[in-house]
Amino acid sequence: MTVNSADEFGEWVSPHLGAMGLLATRLVGSAEGDDLVQDALTRAWRKREQFDAARGTPRAWLLAIVADRARRSWRRPRPPVPPTRKELVSGPDGLRVDVERAIAALPARMRLAVECVYVVDLTIAETAQVMGISDGTVKSTLSHARDRLRLMLEES
Amino acid sequence: MVDIDRALRETGARLRAEQRSPRVDLAAATSAGGRRPKGRTAILVGVVVVLVAGLVALVGDRAQTPTHARVYVVPTTEPTGTSHAPVAQGALVDLVGNAPNIEIDHIGKYSWTSPVVLATPPIEFSAGYHVNGDAQISDFKARPVTVPRGFTVRVSFNVLGFTVLGVRGHPTLKLTMSAQQRPGVVTGFIQPCVGVQQHGSPRPPYAAGNVFALRGVIHLQPVHSGEKEILPTARVGRQHVDQNTPYRFVLPAGRYVIAFNYTRSLEPINGVNIKVLPGATIHENVGGNCK
């Protein structure tokens, strides 16, 4: 990585601040999201020499730091409240799904995969880089997550 | 059977549309970090820093035991990073107290008033903070206050405890505040209602009509046939444009819906979500769906 000055670093991370903010907000909540991004940026600056373009995109590298800081942070989200039937099912023609609450109830690994792919709109390959696992494992984790969400929503 | 994949994609799209840019301080990120020494040097330096910091903290704790809360007197000169812009009519550029550092050197109450005075009340006010170093902060409050010449921002917080950082001095509280931001521009045309076009045929002229800028976002309301779009009602601008004439709104940063109709009616028929960023120009054509 050839980012040496603070200005270059700013230009390098700016296109990805939105995705970093979105993932941080989803993982630790809106009140703490900005602080988490700030923390991740400080770490990214310190570790910038470790970025290897051959191993992944800048976006995936920065989001991996966000996910890592969220895991380590004391700013953990409150335990998700299981969605009630009233919240999950309403409307005249069947299901109106409160998917956000259901996602929050997933185990951490499944949740991170879902957030990366569906919310932050990362590719499978980028999600694999963020999570530090293989593409295949991302796909299977997503599959399990979808099964669990379907079960959760249909049972309620 | 719930279509989970579709539900997830729709939820993701909605969350992305609602997301605002994070309020971060890149200068703080790059000044707090720097290059770290590697290998054994890093370990040695780390051990020394921990030992020195611990020793200083032990000594410092005795010296800093509070006897009473005192108000921190901020220097009358403006903190580093405070930026100015002329306050005039209309949408403005004005950052109040852009990332000043407040040194934490005692336990107790701190208060700080921005030296920048706004002529008009802030239309948007926000504040955040980030502690550089080890300090426990509580009851952080930031609010606009009236002063003789206008409006400013007052910050107060309590420091419950902190550790002296050895050679680096005291921890600092870095503030990020904005009271009024640079406006952004949104412009575009009304797409005509023309149906399917023949390949190679000339582009039809852009349509005339009314264009509306509404503060907020479109909400989806479930109905029997699917979902109905509900436009926000807070109207911040309206323009009538002629054929082949662009509309143009200058708006404070934020989320808006650009809505339109093909007549001079004051009721918009459809719209699109946009996000106005400070200083940026967005091109967004509306219409074309023949509703």
Side-chain angles (χ1 to χ4, degrees):
Chain A
M1 183 178 170
T2 56
V3 175
N4 291 318
S5 72
D7 287 347
E8 286 176 337
F9 181 76
E11 287 178 17
W12 191 70
V13 300
S14 288
H16 313 297
L17 284 178
M20 293 173 78
L22 181 55
L23 185 62
T25 302
R26 296 293 302 157
L27 294 180
V28 299
S30 56
E32 306 292 345
D34 288 356
D35 278 358
L36 186 71
V37 175
Q38 183 75 45
D39 191 22
L41 286 171
T42 303
R43 192 152 186 87
W45 168 254
R46 286 175 177 167
K47 301 278 183 185
R48 62 194 186 279
E49 288 180 346
Q50 294 179 11
F51 171 72
D52 182 359
R55 292 170 57 192
T57 63
R59 182 164 74 150
W61 187 72
L62 291 166
L63 291 175
I65 295 174
V66 170
D68 178 63
R69 302 317 287 172
R71 264 195 303 272
R72 291 165 186 257
S73 171
W74 59 268
R75 307 177 195 108
R76 297 194 180 282
R78 292 175 184 170
V81 181
T84 63
R85 179 179 177 80
K86 190 179 177 185
E87 286 170 322
L88 292 173
V89 183
S90 66
D93 56 349
L95 291 170
R96 177 178 173 240
V97 182
D98 187 346
V99 182
E100 274 189 77
R101 303 250 346 241
I103 292 171
L106 286 173
R109 186 183 169 95
M110 288 185 188
R111 184 181 171 190
L112 181 57
V114 168
E115 300 282 10
C116 285
V117 171
Y118 288 101
V119 178
V120 187
D121 207 21
L122 299 186
T123 63
I124 295 292
E126 283 178 317
T127 303
Q129 289 156 21
V130 170
M131 297 180 70
I133 56 180
S134 70
D135 291 11
T137 310
V138 172
K139 289 176 187 170
S140 65
T141 304
L142 281 174
S143 176
H144 292 315
R146 283 191 294 262
D147 289 346
R148 190 174 285 216
L149 285 171
R150 188 175 295 113
L151 197 64
M152 200 186 302
L153 297 171
E154 287 178 351
E155 275 182 351
S156 56
Chain B
M1 181 70 115
V2 180
D3 187 346
I4 291 294
D5 192 71
R6 183 182 164 197
L8 286 169
R9 288 190 190 287
E10 286 175 355
T11 301
R14 182 172 54 78
L15 290 169
R16 284 195 296 278
E18 290 172 1
Q19 172 67 14
R20 63 163 176 79
S21 294
R23 294 190 177 94
V24 291
D25 186 346
L26 279 169
T30 52
S31 63
R35 290 177 191 227
R36 280 181 167 175
K38 292 179 180 176
R40 286 184 181 180
T41 316
I43 295 168
L44 277 173
V45 170
V47 169
V48 170
V49 166
V50 168
L51 285 174
V52 169
L55 192 63
V56 172
L58 274 175
V59 174
D61 276 349
R62 292 181 177 222
Q64 290 151 10
T65 303
T67 53
H68 61 279
R70 70 180 173 90
V71 175
Y72 182 65
V73 180
V74 176
T76 52
T77 54
E78 289 175 11
T80 307
T82 300
S83 61
H84 280 276
V87 177
Q89 296 298 315
L92 313 167
V93 181
D94 203 336
L95 293 177
V96 178
N98 180 21
N101 274 310
I102 297 181
E103 188 174 271
I104 293 168
D105 63 354
H106 68 278
I107 296 170
K109 185 180 177 184
Y110 289 62
S111 68
W112 180 83
T113 301
S114 168
V116 179
V117 176
L118 297 172
T120 56
I123 53 169
E124 179 185 320
F125 176 78
S126 61
Y129 68 92
H130 181 78
V131 178
N132 291 327
D134 185 7
Q136 287 178 280
I137 307 294
S138 75
D139 298 330
F140 180 89
K141 291 175 187 167
R143 61 187 187 281
V145 291
T146 308
V147 293
R149 285 174 295 140
F151 301 84
T152 185
V153 176
R154 181 164 297 153
V155 172
S156 64
F157 57 93
N158 288 323
V159 174
L160 305 177
F162 67 94
T163 304
V164 175
L165 300 175
V167 293
R168 288 177 55 199
H170 294 88
T172 56
L173 188 82
K174 188 172 274 290
L175 297 172
T176 308
M177 295 188 292
S178 62
Q180 201 158 32
Q181 292 186 315
R182 269 193 301 166
V185 175
V186 56
T187 183
F189 293 91
I190 301 177
Q191 300 269 23
C193 171
V194 292
V196 180
Q197 275 198 272
Q198 295 290 329
H199 180 69
S201 61
R203 181 182 64 75
Y206 290 114
N210 272 344
V211 187
F212 306 85
L214 313 172
R215 187 188 294 278
V217 296
I218 296 171
H219 290 281
L220 298 177
Q221 185 181 65
V223 292
H224 284 283
S225 56
E227 287 174 324
K228 179 185 174 188
E229 290 186 350
I230 306 295
L231 299 176
T233 56
R235 187 175 295 175
V236 293
R238 174 171 65 87
Q239 290 176 10
H240 179 80
V241 293
D242 295 325
Q243 207 177 53
N244 274 338
T245 306
Y247 72 87
R248 186 174 188 274
F249 291 111
V250 180
L251 299 167
R255 296 194 177 280
Y256 298 88
V257 171
I258 301 299
F260 78 102
N261 62 41
Y262 288 116
T263 66
R264 284 186 176 271
S265 162
L266 297 180
E267 290 303 316
I269 57 171
N270 206 342
V272 291
N273 285 319
I274 58 152
K275 183 179 179 183
V276 173
L277 299 172
T281 299
I282 300 170
H283 294 269
E284 185 70 51
N285 288 348
V286 294
N289 50 7
C290 302
K291 273 193 177 181

